[in-house]
Amino acid sequence: MKDKWRLPLILLLAFLLTACGAAPEKESGDAVVVGFSQLGAESSWRMANTASIEQAAAQYGFGLMMDNANQKQEKQIAAIRSFIAYRVDVIVFSPIVETGWDNVLREARQAGVPVILVDRMIETADDSLYTAYIGADFYAEGRRAGEYLIRKADALQAEHLNIVEVSGTIDSTPMRERQRGFMDVIQDDPRFTVIASVSGDFLRSKGEEVITGLLEQYGAEGFDVIYSHNDSMTLGILDVLDRQGIQPGTDMLLISVDGEKEAVSALKQGRINCIVQCTPYLGGSVMSLVQALKDGRPVPKVSHPVESAYTDFDDLSDPAMEGF
Ligand code: GZL
């Protein structure tokens, strides 16, 4: 068997055996093995994030046992239990929602397996249940969206703007914090009224459904701004606006989050007004934390990547502005 396939195949077999409760334990002294529970494959952001984790594990020479939970928290919990049973060196996971993790993370602590949260945070009274968090400052992302809107309203000399929010997965960190940051910036400004906030679950198909419902409820003249928590939903929204003859970016301002290629192209075409960046490239930082843990070095409890925003005030011909 070619060497390069040996470890992945062993890990796959071990994971499958673990999942049915008959797994061997990882031998100490073997290569570092990371158990990674990814929450799903709901967006281009998520796919890019998964690829980043996989590539970084390979670059570090770590074995990676990866499970895709397809948006189901119970599948993430089951995967974490399998990682514990196999005695991986480190568990990495992106919690789909913030609550409901304490029990399984207590089992990981009991087993002596450190846990790194990537991308999303958990709500817990005991932050010793995880060793580190690496992911965006979603509150700052929400604030950037609000700050853009104020700048745009000033430039347009707008007297009043009605806003609809198409939010992400309810109770997820990005949904909660992108909403909180945005509201903290605009809520005291009398020019703005948020008339509706509906979850599109970060899915393109639901983004279409939500904006279709809002247009039916309020009409195309009923609101002036759409604040969408991710580009996948925004692309679905654009499809609906196009079908209804509504000119996005002018008839209706569109503020989005992530920075995937298709959305950046729409920004350059003037169809999206602002994209708040949210980098999916967290793999290198995660595996650097894993290496530090294995070396017995201290790791920061919370790490945020540097992010900014692309807007229609920028030089959109900038080649550095390309998206993922
Ligand atoms: C943000 C991430 C979000 C993205 C969405 O870090 O959790 O989930 O913004 C993805 O595209 O679905």
Side-chain angles (χ1 to χ4, degrees):
M1 178 193 305
K2 285 192 184 303
D3 261 359
K4 71 175 182 176
W5 293 110
R6 184 172 171 274
L7 183 57
L9 287 176
I10 289 172
L11 293 175
L12 175 63
L13 176 61
F15 186 61
L16 293 173
L17 288 169
T18 306
C20 59
E25 288 188 1
K26 171 184 173 292
E27 296 294 326
S28 63
D30 284 353
V32 171
V33 174
V34 174
F36 173 43
S37 167
Q38 179 59 288
L39 65 85
E42 74 285 359
S43 62
S44 298
W45 189 99
R46 188 65 51 198
M47 261 82 91
N49 177 249
T50 297
S52 170
I53 299 275
E54 290 174 329
Q55 288 155 16
Q59 286 158 0
Y60 274 79
F62 296 159
L64 185 70
M65 295 173 81
M66 193 186 95
D67 175 78
N68 176 336
N70 294 318
Q71 310 281 318
K72 292 181 175 51
Q73 179 175 26
E74 61 272 19
K75 282 197 69 181
Q76 289 199 278
I77 292 171
I80 291 168
R81 289 197 166 112
S82 296
F83 299 150
I84 294 168
Y86 181 70
R87 302 197 65 73
V88 298
D89 295 279
V90 182
I91 291 170
V92 173
F93 83 110
S94 180
I96 184 163
V97 292
E98 292 198 337
T99 53
W101 304 101
D102 280 17
N103 289 340
V104 73
L105 295 184
R106 273 195 282 272
E107 293 168 29
R109 181 173 59 187
Q110 182 67 30
V113 183
V115 173
I116 295 174
L117 303 178
V118 59
D119 172 36
R120 298 188 181 177
M121 182 54 93
I122 63 171
E123 185 181 292
T124 180
D126 180 358
D127 72 0
S128 73
L129 289 174
Y130 64 94
T131 300
Y133 165 80
I134 172 83
D137 180 344
F138 300 111
Y139 178 74
E141 292 178 351
R143 290 190 65 88
R144 283 186 202 108
E147 287 153 5
Y148 166 79
L149 184 55
I150 286 176
R151 183 180 178 191
K152 189 68 175 181
D154 292 346
L156 295 173
Q157 297 180 324
E159 288 184 7
H160 187 268
L161 297 171
N162 282 335
I163 302 161
V164 297
E165 179 185 55
V166 182
S167 70
T169 302
I170 290 172
D171 289 342
S172 67
T173 314
M175 178 266 171
R176 286 179 169 180
E177 292 297 278
R178 284 170 183 167
Q179 182 175 78
R180 188 169 71 91
F182 181 75
M183 290 308 295
D184 280 359
V185 168
I186 69 156
Q187 60 191 356
D188 296 331
D189 188 323
R191 293 176 295 176
F192 306 121
T193 304
V194 177
I195 61 171
S197 179
V198 182
S199 173
D201 210 11
F202 289 127
L203 294 168
R204 182 168 185 156
S205 57
K206 289 202 176 170
E208 282 194 51
E209 283 173 31
V210 167
I211 203 65
T212 299
L214 290 169
L215 286 167
E216 283 168 2
Q217 184 174 359
Y218 295 101
E221 303 306 315
F223 50 90
D224 314 286
V225 183
I226 303 168
Y227 172 39
S228 167
H229 285 190
N230 88 325
D231 291 344
S232 293
M233 297 188 296
T234 300
L235 294 172
I237 290 164
L238 285 173
D239 291 342
V240 173
L241 298 183
D242 289 344
R243 286 199 293 270
Q244 298 204 15
I246 300 167
Q247 184 57 46
T250 47
D251 296 344
M252 213 165 270
L253 299 179
L254 212 40
I255 301 171
S256 189
V257 189
D258 277 349
E260 64 176 270
K261 281 192 190 326
E262 196 177 345
V264 172
S265 298
L267 173 82
K268 294 184 175 183
Q269 295 158 12
R271 291 161 46 78
I272 294 176
N273 302 91
C274 169
I275 299 177
V276 176
Q277 276 182 313
C278 179
T279 180
Y281 302 125
L282 302 173
S285 302
V286 167
M287 297 308 162
S288 171
L289 290 178
V290 171
Q291 187 64 63
L293 289 175
K294 293 310 293 172
D295 296 347
R297 287 182 279 120
V299 298
K301 189 75 176 176
V302 174
S303 311
H304 295 311
V306 175
E307 296 176 333
S308 66
Y310 299 143
T311 82
D312 52 10
F313 291 108
D314 297 327
D315 170 12
L316 298 181
S317 66
D318 178 357
M321 189 187 290
E322 61 164 8
F324 52 81

